[in-house]
């Protein structure tokens, strides 16, 4: 067997275990990768394992459709180990250019010997050999007869997502969104302007072999062009010169425009990317109360602040849907980065597309999120000083969580006005899908309608 092939078996095995746990246990693949990639010494193997995991997750429905055409056993009758071995194998055969057929098939057989019974070994080999011969001839659902089914299977998005996007944005935009969700995401970092600037940071990173490109639209943002996996290992990261943050996400802080000396509330702050950005915009002067419902996540905020040299953030355990009496009319600025369906980050977190429905239907899940968001907005409205400003943001592209949510809020709160609103799409900007709305509580005695 080719020595190079032997070296990559580890990458396939790591990917297989992660895919199994992601589906079986509902684990987060990004966290599993962060831990399990440490077992692979070769950077090329680490990159390959990551490629397998995200490649399979992004194309899972299409892969299953292809496998079903060559398998005499129904997919729901296969063990999850065998199914994922086949998915990894088919992904290599049909979606990757540089993997030889013999490597994809032989190493899948090796995995089957370790993770399945003897009968499965011949089955895996037979299916993959057939896919290697005729996989490119597989027909997908007829686009003309059933557009939803075609888009769902071909781009591997559950039907409910496709239906939502078709309904809200039409066929052309829907397909662009789905296509972009399956592409390789860009990686962005935010320069810590308390310690450096983008030009200086760019030069420092070059010495670590990391090439970047300064974003012409966002003064603190750089797009990483090489050595993506080494970014958080760079000395500049340890020294607090930058943080990893998507370009779209930085617009939330910029829209809020916190000033030095402001008293600011970040209602859903973890893991702290936006919180620390607010502190940097405030030149580390003033006060930020950073809240989250999960106590263990508050440590992430504190750790990030410490690394970046930020000293004005106070973490606070808080369920934002419950009114806090001592917060009423206390804050100059408020950021509500609300929990949402996450459909704007499917290019980075493909597992999200399979996470719903959690309880009942996806529609019920969305309704629950919308109700939570409304409570956060209503409480924030009470916490804001007269004349104060708040920003509502989400990483989704569903209108009921975004523009329609704000329209309902303004109907309930006559003393608020909308200053700014934008919906960001990945296929248009390269950053994550994001919604940002800036609102101001008018300096008047009008009371909100509860």
């Amino acid at each position: 067997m080719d020595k190079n092939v032997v070296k990559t078996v580890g990458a396939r095995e790591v990917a297989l275990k992660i895919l199994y746990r992601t589906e079986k246990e509902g684990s987060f693949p990004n966290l599993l990768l962060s831990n399990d990639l440490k077992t692979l010494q070769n950077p090329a193997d680490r990159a390959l394992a990551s490629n397998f995991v995200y490649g399979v997750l992004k194309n899972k429905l299409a892969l299953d459709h292809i496998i079903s055409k060559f398998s005499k056993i129904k997919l729901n009758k296969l063990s999850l180990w065998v199914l994922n071995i086949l998915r990894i194998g088919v992904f290599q055969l049909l979606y990757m250019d540089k993997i030889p057929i013999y490597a994809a098939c032989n190493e899948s057989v090796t995995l089957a010997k370790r993770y399945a019974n003897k009968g499965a070994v011949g089955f895996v080999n037979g299916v993959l050999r057939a896919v290697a011969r005729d996989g490119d001839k597989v027909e997908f659902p007829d686009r003309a007869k059933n557009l939803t089914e075609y888009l769902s299977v071909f781009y591997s998005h559950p039907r409910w997502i496709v239906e939502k996007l078709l309904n809200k944005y039409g066929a052309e935009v829907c397909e662009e969104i789905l296509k972009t969700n399956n592409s390789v995401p860009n990686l962005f970092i935010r320069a810590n302007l308390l310690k450096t600037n983008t030009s200086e940071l760019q030069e420092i990173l070059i010495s670590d072999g990391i090439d970047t490109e300064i974003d012409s639209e966002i003064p603190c943002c750089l797009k990483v062009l090489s050595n993506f996996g080494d970014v958080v290992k760079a000395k500049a990261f340890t020294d607090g010169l930058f943080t990893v943050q998507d370009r779209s996400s930085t617009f939330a802080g910029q829209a809020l425009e916190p000033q030095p000396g402001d008293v600011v509330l970040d209602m859903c702050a973890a893991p702290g990317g936006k919180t620390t950005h607010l502190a940097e915009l405030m030149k580390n002067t003033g006060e930020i109360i950073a809240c989250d419902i999960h106590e263990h996540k508050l440590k992430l905020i504190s750790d990030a602040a410490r690394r970046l040299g930020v000293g004005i953030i106070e973490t606070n355990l808080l369920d934002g849907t419950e009114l806090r009496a001592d917060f009423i009319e206390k804050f100059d600025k408020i950021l509500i980065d609300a929990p949402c369906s996450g459909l704007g980050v499917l290019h980075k977190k493909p597992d999200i597309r399979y996470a719903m429905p959690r309880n009942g239907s996806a529609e019920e899940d969305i309704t629950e999120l919308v109700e939570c968001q409304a409570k956060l907005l209503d409480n924030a409205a009470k916490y804001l000083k007269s004349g104060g400003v708040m920003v509502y943001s989400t990483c989704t592209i569903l209108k009921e969580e975004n523009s329609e949510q704000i329209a309902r809020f303004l109907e309930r709160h006559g003393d608020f006005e909308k200053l700014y609103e934008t919906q960001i799409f990945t296929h248009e900007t390269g950053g994550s899908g994001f919604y940002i709305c800036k609102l101001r509580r008018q300096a008047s005695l009008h009371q909100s309608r509860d």
Side-chain angles (χ1 to χ4, degrees):
M1 189 180 294
D2 190 306
K3 291 182 179 179
N4 291 326
V5 175
V6 174
K7 288 167 64 178
T8 60
V9 170
R12 291 173 172 85
E13 190 164 11
V14 165
L16 175 63
K17 291 178 179 178
I18 290 173
L19 288 168
Y20 180 88
R21 290 187 62 189
T22 297
E23 192 163 348
K24 185 72 173 179
E25 303 169 7
S27 302
F28 297 113
N30 60 322
L31 299 181
L32 295 176
L33 276 165
S34 178
N35 182 67
D36 292 3
L37 290 184
K38 296 173 185 176
T39 65
L40 300 172
Q41 301 302 314
N42 190 328
D45 284 353
R46 293 196 292 270
L48 193 60
S50 182
N51 195 0
F52 289 151
V53 170
Y54 285 115
V56 167
L57 288 173
K58 287 184 176 183
N59 297 282
K60 188 164 74 171
L61 299 186
L63 292 170
D64 286 359
H65 176 77
I66 294 166
I67 293 167
S68 71
K69 301 300 180 182
F70 297 94
S71 173
K72 294 180 180 179
I73 304 173
K74 290 185 178 181
L75 269 56
N76 62 3
K77 298 295 184 181
L78 295 175
S79 80
L80 193 53
W81 288 112
V82 170
L83 182 55
N84 277 310
I85 289 169
L86 288 173
R87 286 167 174 165
I88 295 172
V90 175
F91 177 72
Q92 293 170 81
L93 292 170
L94 300 183
Y95 289 82
M96 297 182 74
D97 297 327
K98 297 181 180 180
I99 304 291
I101 291 175
Y102 73 89
C105 294
N106 291 351
E107 300 312 327
S108 296
V109 167
T110 299
L111 289 175
K113 289 177 180 177
R114 296 177 186 174
Y115 292 93
N117 58 45
K118 290 182 179 180
V121 175
F123 170 74
V124 166
N125 186 53
V127 170
L128 293 182
R129 295 292 176 183
V131 171
R133 287 193 308 271
D134 300 315
D136 57 350
K137 300 173 186 174
V138 170
E139 293 184 357
F140 284 84
D142 191 314
R143 182 190 183 107
K145 291 182 179 178
N146 193 330
L147 179 61
T148 301
E149 186 69 13
Y150 166 78
L151 293 174
S152 174
V153 175
F154 189 80
Y155 292 107
S156 292
H157 285 67
R159 283 183 63 97
W160 76 266
I161 295 179
V162 176
E163 289 169 351
K164 283 275 187 186
L165 297 180
L166 282 173
N167 181 51
K168 298 295 183 181
Y169 297 109
E172 185 177 348
V173 173
C174 171
E175 187 162 12
E176 283 296 319
I177 292 170
L178 301 179
K179 188 186 302 181
T180 306
N181 284 346
N182 288 352
S183 64
V184 177
N186 294 314
L187 177 65
F188 298 93
I189 61 176
R190 188 193 78 235
N192 179 2
L193 300 185
L194 297 176
K195 294 187 175 184
T196 187
N197 57 61
T198 46
S199 298
E200 183 180 64
L201 177 59
Q202 189 174 40
E203 292 298 318
I204 292 171
L205 289 173
I206 287 175
S207 65
D208 284 323
I210 300 170
D211 295 322
T212 59
E213 177 181 88
I214 297 176
D215 193 300
S216 60
E217 193 176 3
I218 309 170
C220 60
C221 188
L222 297 96
K223 179 181 176 181
V224 179
L225 304 176
S226 66
N227 292 334
F228 307 102
D230 294 332
V231 167
V232 295
K233 299 176 185 176
K235 185 175 184 297
F237 180 82
T238 304
D239 291 344
L241 300 187
F242 71 89
T243 193
V244 176
Q245 184 179 16
D246 190 87
R247 75 185 300 274
S248 301
S249 176
T250 64
F251 283 117
Q254 290 188 182
L256 190 62
E257 295 183 288
Q259 301 300 308
D262 276 348
V263 179
V264 178
L265 174 65
D266 189 345
M267 287 186 71
C268 311
K274 296 180 186 69
T275 318
T276 53
H277 187 204
L278 297 177
E280 292 163 21
L281 292 171
M282 295 164 65
K283 304 188 187 305
N284 205 25
T285 302
E287 181 183 2
I288 299 176
I289 305 297
C291 302
D292 199 85
I293 195 171
H294 302 292
E295 189 166 9
H296 69 278
K297 290 186 177 181
L298 295 177
K299 185 177 183 299
L300 299 176
I301 304 171
S302 300
D303 289 347
R306 192 177 304 110
R307 182 179 61 81
L308 296 167
V310 169
I312 63 169
I313 297 172
E314 175 190 324
T315 59
N316 204 306
L317 186 65
L318 174 72
D319 180 348
T321 63
E322 297 178 1
L323 188 66
R324 178 85 172 256
D326 59 324
F327 278 8
I328 292 176
E329 296 191 350
K330 177 177 179 176
F331 298 97
D332 303 299
K333 307 280 174 63
I334 297 176
L335 174 62
I336 313 153
D337 186 44
C340 66
S341 60
L343 298 195
V345 293
L346 295 186
H347 61 309
K348 290 183 175 181
K349 300 178 179 180
D351 51 301
I352 290 177
R353 65 183 80 178
Y354 311 113
M356 291 197 286
R358 295 183 181 89
N359 303 299
S361 68
E363 202 62 48
E364 289 172 330
D365 287 349
I366 298 295
T367 298
E368 187 176 319
L369 285 167
V370 167
E371 291 172 353
C372 173
Q373 293 157 0
K375 290 177 182 177
L376 291 170
L377 279 163
D378 288 343
N379 285 345
K382 296 180 174 69
Y383 298 156
L384 197 63
K385 293 178 181 177
S386 179
V389 169
M390 68 183 190
V391 163
Y392 172 79
S393 68
T394 71
C395 59
T396 189
I397 52 176
L398 294 184
K399 292 184 179 180
E400 52 262 62
E401 298 182 75
N402 296 336
S403 57
E404 294 172 7
Q405 177 73 269
I406 293 300
R408 292 188 294 269
F409 171 80
L410 292 173
E411 288 177 359
R412 296 194 302 274
H413 298 269
D415 56 339
F416 273 78
E417 60 179 333
K418 181 168 63 179
L419 302 178
Y420 170 81
E421 179 182 44
T422 186
Q423 177 68 71
I424 303 169
F425 293 98
T426 301
H427 70 279
E428 293 177 344
T429 67
S432 294
F434 239 82
Y435 172 80
I436 296 166
C437 183
K438 184 175 184 177
L439 302 156
R440 179 169 60 202
R441 184 181 181 191
Q442 299 173 38
S444 69
L445 297 177
H446 294 222
Q447 299 296 313
S448 63
R449 298 194 301 274
D450 292 326

